[in-house]
Amino acid sequence: MLKLMKLELKKYKIGRYLPGILIANAVILLLIGGVHVAEQVDGVIDAYQNYAMAFSVIIGFVKVTFVIFASVILAKLVIGEYNSKTVNILFTYPVRRKKIMAAKLLLVSLWTFSTVLLSGLFVTGAFLLADASLNMVPETLTAPMIVHHILRLLLNAVSAAGVCLIPLLFGMMKKSVPATIVSAVILVTIIDSNNMGFSLSAGYILPLVFAAAGVLVAFWSIRKIETSDVL
């Protein structure tokens, strides 16, 4: 499995997405700053009344951004193989089709986990540095708050690693790249939307449920790949 993942890394040059990750983080920071500016100008939005709310905004932005980002990579690694007909060559390898696809899915999942976790830590650090100068949050930051945030960020990184695979189900139906990406947008909009303080990503149980659901849906999507005709 590890060899297959290394081959995929080499084949698609996943490292080339690093500039995109950096740009995404910059955009997230601008959006977070924009929320603060809106607070000051309009006096209506109160997203940063405490650190719990501020950290939720950070996690939400990071998770939504990189689950959608992952759907683009997923479409490239899986759906793109079908559209370009290179999947016919891929499946001539002396390796089970499911194992090849599992390597692709695991690669996307690990990529998503890493980017959500590392980007979340980076954005949090940048936010706290800005907060130290601008006093964006009218609350005293404590060590337990930071620990709780890191645990939530880790949990949501695990959740994102599973959720990012769900769009594969829609993409595989018609071998459609747009369907893969659009379904990811709709999915994270539903899961990570905040309605009157309630979000499906809140707590500790639901994120893990979504992660498990993502894994199950992904493998359901490729369950017939050993016998299906790819021509």
Side-chain angles (χ1 to χ4, degrees):
M1 183 69 74
L2 187 58
K3 284 186 177 181
L4 288 172
M5 291 173 66
K6 287 181 178 179
L7 286 172
E8 291 297 316
L9 280 171
K10 187 176 180 180
K11 179 180 178 181
Y12 289 100
K13 299 177 181 178
I14 301 297
R16 68 181 177 177
Y17 291 107
L18 180 59
I21 295 172
L22 297 176
I23 292 171
N25 277 292
V27 171
I28 291 170
L29 287 172
L30 287 173
L31 288 172
I32 290 173
V35 172
H36 175 64
V37 171
E39 280 185 320
Q40 301 302 309
V41 174
D42 297 332
V44 177
I45 302 173
D46 199 12
Y48 304 145
Q49 59 182 283
N50 54 53
Y51 281 105
M53 292 185 68
F55 289 155
S56 291
V57 170
I58 291 173
I59 291 175
F61 275 138
V62 170
K63 187 177 176 184
V64 167
T65 299
F66 289 105
V67 167
I68 296 173
F69 203 144
S71 72
V72 176
I73 298 177
L74 186 66
K76 177 72 174 177
L77 265 64
V78 180
I79 309 302
E81 294 272 20
Y82 283 91
N83 291 340
S84 64
K85 304 300 182 182
T86 54
V87 72
N88 296 298
I89 300 173
L90 185 68
F91 287 161
T92 62
Y93 295 170
V95 182
R96 290 187 63 193
R97 293 181 180 184
K98 281 186 179 179
K99 191 171 183 180
I100 293 173
M101 284 299 175
K104 289 175 177 286
L105 299 183
L106 185 57
L107 182 60
V108 174
S109 187
L110 290 174
W111 183 91
T112 306
F113 172 82
S114 300
T115 52
V116 170
L117 181 59
L118 295 177
S119 295
L121 292 173
F122 169 74
V123 172
T124 298
F127 175 81
L128 292 179
L129 284 174
D131 180 52
S133 301
L134 303 175
N135 294 316
M136 294 187 288
V137 184
E139 184 182 32
T140 301
L141 183 64
T142 64
M145 290 180 186
I146 296 176
V147 171
H148 178 68
H149 172 59
I150 292 174
L151 288 174
R152 279 202 63 213
L153 182 58
L154 180 61
L155 187 65
N156 275 275
V158 172
S159 178
V163 168
C164 72
L165 302 178
I166 295 178
L168 180 65
L169 175 64
F170 303 96
M172 287 292 284
M173 288 179 180
K174 292 188 177 181
K175 308 299 184 294
S176 169
V177 170
T180 306
I181 298 173
V182 170
S183 62
V185 174
I186 295 173
L187 184 64
V188 292
T189 299
I190 295 172
I191 293 177
D192 290 282
S193 63
N194 192 311
N195 299 306
M196 301 297 289
F198 173 76
S199 172
L200 291 175
S201 290
Y204 293 93
I205 303 299
L206 283 179
L208 292 177
V209 170
F210 287 127
V215 174
L216 291 174
V217 169
F219 282 97
W220 173 265
S221 303
I222 61 171
R223 70 192 185 285
K224 296 181 179 179
I225 203 167
E226 295 289 352
T227 55
S228 62
D229 187 4
V230 296
L231 295 176

